[in-house]
Amino acid sequence: PLTASLDATFDMLERHGITVGLLGVSWLGVPFARKSSPGVFGDSPESHVRKQIRALKRRTQWVVVVYHGGEEFAHIPIPARRKKLLRYLSFGADVVVAHHAHCVQRYERVGGKFVFYGLGNLVFDLDQHRKFAGTDESVLLSLTFSEQAVNYSPIFTCQDRDQRLVLRVPSNPNFSEITERSYYAQDWPAEASRRLKSYWSSDHEKLPRNNWKQKSFYYWKKVRRVAGLLYICIFDKYGLTRPYIISGV
């Protein structure tokens, strides 16, 4: 925890003359640091993130941003989230590793830089997650830094929930590369359609519906969530506004 009057703390690693800086950033789902209260280093205002990435880049050869954020149970990031993490690369980050989706998401390569949008659940196993596809899967990411380049090597895992084990598996189809063209022509439209159908047809809210008041509140939340997703699909196709929260979609 830190206060807003302090610079964000970061870690610097050095081995064989190569230096790597690590910076943690979080979305608005948790308390941000303020001038008078502690919290995490948040992703808003973005100028603070840009300042810290650039400061770290001046002190290290490579910068890795670990980002806590992303739409739960989705295999594709929404446009605004994708644009945000790509901007981190333009600020000077070399790798962005995001987590929060609870399932494996795509990754993206920009020149010699990378964004990994979601690495899955690993050992994070809750009963309410089990009905969502892919929450038993994960990727262990190995990053290798040299003087000239950064490379990655994935290890794919899957939970055996009956035996309470995490097993290595040969591959994961959701851990694949997206491009600017494939994202808007194929990846995002297909994911948005899947999420709309899944959310409307499933009981995701975990709310009681024993009387008309409870039923009204349940359907109000469901309609509000679907309306928010429709807004993103129709009006925010290119990520012009801030990322929305669509937990459970």
Side-chain angles (χ1 to χ4, degrees), residues 26-156:
S26 183
W27 68 306
L28 53 73
V30 292
F32 285 179
R34 306 297 180 190
K35 290 184 178 180
S36 59
S37 61
V40 302
F41 183 57
D43 63 0
S44 178
E46 197 167 87
S47 59
H48 289 178
V49 180
R50 180 175 64 245
K51 175 184 176 182
Q52 292 299 330
I53 291 176
R54 289 177 175 176
L56 190 53
K57 189 64 175 179
R58 289 193 292 267
R59 300 175 62 178
T60 61
Q61 294 167 270
W62 304 100
V63 172
V64 178
V65 174
V66 180
Y67 179 78
H68 175 234
E71 288 59 55
E72 291 181 328
F73 317 121
H75 296 293
I76 304 291
I78 65 172
R81 186 84 59 189
R82 174 176 174 264
K83 291 287 187 180
K84 174 187 283 289
L85 300 188
L86 289 175
R87 285 197 297 272
Y88 290 178
L89 299 186
S90 69
F91 297 160
D94 300 288
V95 180
V96 178
V97 181
H99 60 98
H100 186 259
H102 297 290
C103 60
V104 176
Q105 292 193 342
R106 305 288 198 269
Y107 69 91
E108 193 161 359
R109 185 195 313 261
V110 180
K113 300 183 176 186
F114 297 92
V115 179
F116 300 93
Y117 291 103
L119 297 183
N121 244 3
L122 193 58
V123 297
F124 198 88
D125 181 26
L126 298 178
D127 290 339
Q128 58 265 37
H129 288 182
R130 293 190 174 195
K131 63 183 176 182
F132 297 104
T135 55
D136 59 343
E137 301 170 346
S138 192
V139 179
L140 297 176
L141 192 66
S142 174
L143 297 174
T144 304
F145 300 91
S146 67
E147 293 285 351
Q148 294 78 29
V150 54
N151 294 289
Y152 75 92
S153 177
I155 297 174
F156 304 104

Side-chain angles (χ1 to χ4, degrees), residues 210-229:
N210 300 319
N211 54 56
W212 70 269
K213 288 185 178 180
Q214 291 177 348
K215 290 180 180 178
S216 298
F217 182 66
Y218 170 84
Y219 285 109
W220 174 81
K221 286 202 68 176
K222 183 179 283 285
V223 169
R224 184 171 178 265
R225 189 69 60 80
V226 170
L229 182 54

Side-chain angles (χ1 to χ4, degrees), residues 122-127 130 136 158-167:
L122 193 58
V123 297
F124 198 88
D125 181 26
L126 298 178
D127 290 339
R130 293 190 174 195
D136 59 343
C158 185
Q159 298 173 11
D160 183 334
R161 286 167 168 163
D162 294 331
Q163 299 295 322
R164 301 178 64 84
L165 297 172
V166 176
L167 306 176

